[in-house]
Amino acid sequence: MIDVVSVASWNADLVSRVPRPIARGETLLATSFEISPGGKGSNAAVAAARQGARVGVIARVGRDDFGRMALALWHAEGIDTQHVEPVEGERSGVAQIHVYDDGDNTISVFPGAGAGLAARHAQAAREMLASCRVAIASCEVPLVATLEAFRIARAGGALTVLNPAPACGLPDELLNRVDVLTPNESELRLLAGTAADATIDAAAQSLLARGVKSVLVTLGAAGCTLYRAGEPPHRLPGWRMTVVDTIGAGDTFTGALAAALARAAPLPEAMRWANAAAALSVTGRGAIGGMPSRPQVEALLAE
Ligand code: RIB
C-alpha cells in the first residue's frame, strides 16, 4: 500500500557554486562542482519518504548513467519504482544550477525523457493512484500526465497537491482537481495573473475563486500562508536557519506536506511540518542533502 504518489520529474543536478549571478556574456570561475539528485517530483518524493510515508513514483528516465542514478536513489530511499519507465535512446533530465554566496540560485532544466510522461503512464499506475492517500506533482512534468493522475487519485478519494513550479499558467481544468496548491510568491502572481502590485492575499483569493480548494503560499525565510475560501489567512512565520543553499526547499515543503496529510494531519498541522522540514532542508548541500527525517522535524518543532 502506497501513501503518496509523485508524478515525478527527475533531473541530475549539475551544481556549480559561483559568488554571484553571472551576467549575459560573462564567464565566472566556479568554486565547486557537484552532480547530485534533483528534479522537483523526485525531490518531493524523497522528502515524503524521509517523513516516513510509503512513496511511489511515476516517471520516465533515460537508460543512461543519470537514469541509473535515479533508480539507485529511489531504491535507497525505499521508494516504489514499478511505474518508472527507463527509455532507450533518450537522455535523462538534467538541471544546471548556479548557487551564489548568499545561498540563492538559478536553474535551467532540460527535462529529457521526463517530457514524454503522458496520460498512459498515469493509467498504467491506476491501481497505485486509486488507493493512495495523496498524489503530488509539479509543472516540470507534462500537464496531461498530472491531469489524468489527479483524476484517478481523486476518484479513489485521495488528496491532490500541486507545486506550480517552474512558474506556469494552468488551465481551470487542472486547478479544479487540486486540493492544495503550493506556489511561492512569484508563481502565485503569474498563476493568478494579478497586477505586479496586487497583494499576495488578493492573488490567492483569485485562485480560490477559480476552484482551487486551498492555496498554501511559501514565502522562503518568511514562512508560509494558507488561504481557504471563507476563512481568514493562516500565517506561519519562518525559522531562522543557517543557509547552505535553497535548492529543493519548495519540493521538501510539498513532500513533507503530502506525508503529513497522508497520515491524516489536518492541513494547518501538515503546514507546520512542511514549514519546519523546508527550513531544515536549506541547511544541507543540494536538493536532498538537507532533507530531514521525521525525528529531525519533530525536534525542530519542539524547540
Ligand atoms: O526545485 C529544485 C529542483 O529544480 C532541482 O533539483 C532541479 O533539478 C530543478 O528541477
Side-chain angles (χ1 to χ4, degrees):
M1 168 77 184
I2 295 293
D3 302 315
V4 175
V5 177
S6 178
V7 186
S9 55
W10 155 259
N11 301 320
D13 286 353
L14 313 185
V15 186
S16 302
R17 290 192 85 96
V18 286
R20 54 168 173 79
I22 306 174
R24 191 186 179 100
E26 184 185 26
T27 301
L28 267 189
L29 289 185
T31 53
S32 72
F33 174 75
E34 278 160 41
I35 301 179
S36 50
K40 295 182 192 304
S42 173
N43 294 343
V46 172
R50 290 192 184 173
Q51 291 303 302
R54 292 164 296 190
V55 180
V57 284
I58 302 171
R60 265 180 121 241
V61 298
R63 276 191 198 276
D64 54 12
D65 286 350
F66 290 158
R68 284 185 279 280
M69 180 179 165
L71 286 162
L73 169 76
W74 295 331
H75 291 153
E77 298 285 342
I79 292 171
D80 188 303
T81 59
Q82 63 177 303
H83 295 294
V84 176
E85 183 178 67
V87 194
E88 199 65 61
E90 290 187 37
R91 286 186 193 280
S92 296
V94 170
Q96 291 180 320
I97 305 183
H98 287 134
V99 179
Y100 313 124
D101 280 350
D102 64 1
D104 208 357
N105 63 68
T106 46
I107 305 179
S108 72
V109 172
F110 172 66
L117 212 56
R120 72 179 170 87
H121 296 100
Q123 285 152 6
R126 176 183 298 278
E127 216 179 294
M128 187 168 82
L129 281 163
S131 59
C132 75
R133 293 170 185 273
V134 183
I136 60 179
S138 75
C139 292
E140 266 183 1
V141 290
L143 204 76
V144 284
T146 303
L147 261 174
E148 183 64 355
F150 280 12
R151 187 188 68 74
I152 298 169
R154 270 196 150 184
L159 291 171
T160 56
V161 179
L162 180 68
N163 178 15
C168 54
L170 291 173
D172 286 358
E173 189 189 6
L174 178 59
L175 291 178
N176 288 325
R177 289 182 192 172
V178 176
D179 290 301
V180 189
L181 191 71
T182 58
N184 64 21
E185 216 177 311
S186 59
E187 290 151 4
L188 171 74
R189 285 185 202 286
L190 188 140
L191 261 177
T194 44
D197 58 352
T199 62
I200 293 178
D201 288 13
Q205 292 299 341
S206 85
L207 287 178
L208 292 178
R210 281 173 63 191
V212 183
K213 293 241 166 352
S214 328
V215 180
L216 180 37
V217 185
T218 58
L219 301 165
C224 53
T225 305
L226 172 63
Y227 297 86
R228 289 191 284 194
E231 290 182 21
H234 175 60
R235 303 181 202 276
L236 272 188
W239 294 87
R240 206 180 273 267
M241 311 302 287
T242 304
V243 178
V244 173
D245 68 55
T246 59
I247 306 170
D251 311 330
T252 304
F253 187 97
T254 299
L257 183 84
L261 291 173
R263 50 178 193 265
L267 188 47
E269 175 59 13
M271 166 185 176
R272 221 166 66 85
W273 275 85
N275 192 41
L280 286 164
S281 78
V282 306
T283 62
R285 280 176 98 83
I288 68 167
M291 252 176 212
S293 64
R294 193 166 161 188
Q296 285 173 309
V297 176
E298 234 155 17
L300 182 64
L301 286 172
E303 268 180 24

